[in-house]
Amino acid sequence: MILSPSLLSADFGHLAEELAALEAAGITWLHLDIMDGAFVPNITFGPPLLQALRSASKLFFDVHLMIEEPARYIGDFRAAGADMLVIHVEADRHVQRTLTAIRALGCKAGLALNPGTDISCLRWLARDMDMVLLMSVNPGFSGQAFLPITYEKIRDARRILDANGGEGVLIQVDGGVCPENTPLLVEAGAQILVSGSAFFGHKPYAQRLAAFMAGINGRALRPEEEALRRRKDILDNGTLLC
Ligand code: DX5
Ligand code: ZN
């Protein structure tokens, strides 16, 4: 499992120090929430901030685009330093085209689905993405309650991906993730967990990371996780932690 802390809950007055503290604690991924005030009822930040963070950090930048027609901005976010760009299926009429365009930029491509969105599209898009992001809250804000229906959705997504050439596609879960539900999420098949409010504000970060890992340490890796561990192309910039 890789924990990808969501910057939205970090101390915005001291971002460079926050990134340094994450790296020192053994964190390898950083989740960056981009909101446009249209797809979701909130506005965050854009490529200039990403670029500033890039120059201060070697973390794998996992960029969650909660914006309408994301194809308009993928070039800007890639140039600013994104390692993975995740678009919402609900925000783009031509998802397969945009995923392909993201990969053509030399970037990992991810597809996000809101809690109420059906996952059958994964059958047709399994080969076009490196990661699927299953939202476990309705996007827009950190600090919302986790939706338990997510466990079943993870299992269904894994089955559909594996049956359609997407065995190497990572499953990420975002929203209301905490140390208490982490073992169940990993057991269901989640490989990348995003956490905002349950991670930031709980220093020291090495200790907080250990709290997330506590319930899953020692569990044997399943064959597909072993396969993922070997997928250097996906994990170049991050390492599996268990
Ligand atoms: C929600 C964002 C999440 C959020 C997670 O729209 O996509 O990444 O910051 O925050 P928590 O972990 O507090 O739900
Ligand atoms: Zn997010």
Side-chain angles (χ1 to χ4, degrees):
M1 188 275 277
I2 294 171
L3 186 72
S4 189
S6 165
L7 189 74
L8 209 51
S9 296
D11 178 354
F12 272 46
H14 301 90
L15 287 179
E17 291 95 321
E18 288 278 53
L19 297 193
L22 293 177
E23 288 186 39
I27 292 292
T28 54
W29 283 40
L30 182 68
H31 185 85
L32 298 118
D33 288 304
I34 313 299
M35 304 185 186
D36 66 353
F39 180 68
V40 289
N42 198 2
I43 298 176
T44 56
F45 49 86
L49 184 77
L50 200 71
Q51 192 164 5
L53 298 176
R54 179 76 290 166
S55 62
S57 171
K58 290 190 166 48
L59 292 167
F60 182 91
F61 281 3
D62 146 31
V63 181
H64 181 189
L65 297 177
M66 285 162 277
I67 63 178
E68 296 286 358
E69 298 181 47
R72 296 175 295 159
Y73 293 105
I74 58 175
D76 290 346
F77 279 105
R78 174 59 174 162
D83 294 299
M84 163 118 46
L85 284 169
V86 181
I87 60 167
H88 265 265
V89 69
E90 305 88 356
D92 192 326
R93 288 194 190 86
H94 306 290
V95 168
Q96 197 276 342
R97 177 191 289 160
T98 307
L99 291 170
T100 302
I102 291 170
R103 283 179 161 178
L105 293 170
C107 196
K108 301 302 176 198
L111 185 67
L113 283 74
N114 283 336
T117 299
D118 187 79
I119 59 171
S120 58
C121 65
L122 297 180
R123 179 176 172 195
W124 316 111
L125 297 167
R127 290 182 169 81
D128 296 304
M129 69 182 86
D130 301 297
M131 189 178 81
V132 60
L133 165 49
L134 300 176
M135 290 302 304
S136 40
V137 298
N138 290 289
F141 305 94
S142 49
Q144 301 183 82
F146 174 83
L147 296 168
I149 191 70
T150 310
Y151 299 121
E152 186 180 341
K153 214 170 181 186
I154 296 168
R155 292 195 175 86
D156 284 358
R158 185 75 273 159
R159 185 175 43 74
I160 294 173
L161 289 167
D162 288 352
N164 292 282
E167 296 89 344
V169 175
L170 297 167
I171 296 182
Q172 181 179 66
V173 173
D174 180 10
V177 175
C178 59
E180 292 70 28
N181 56 27
T182 288
L184 288 171
L185 287 166
V186 171
E187 185 56 40
Q191 291 136 331
I192 317 285
L193 296 184
V194 175
S195 176
S197 53
F199 182 82
F200 283 100
H202 298 81
K203 287 184 174 173
Y205 293 147
Q207 199 173 313
R208 196 55 178 164
L209 175 60
F212 276 84
M213 305 308 290
I216 57 176
N217 280 343
R219 185 179 63 77
L221 287 180
R222 291 200 303 265
E224 67 270 23
E225 288 174 313
E226 278 293 355
L228 281 169
R229 193 192 278 279
R230 290 192 297 271
R231 277 182 63 92
K232 290 282 288 174
D233 57 333
I234 296 282
L235 298 171
D236 262 345
N237 297 291
T239 49
L240 282 177
L241 297 174
C242 74

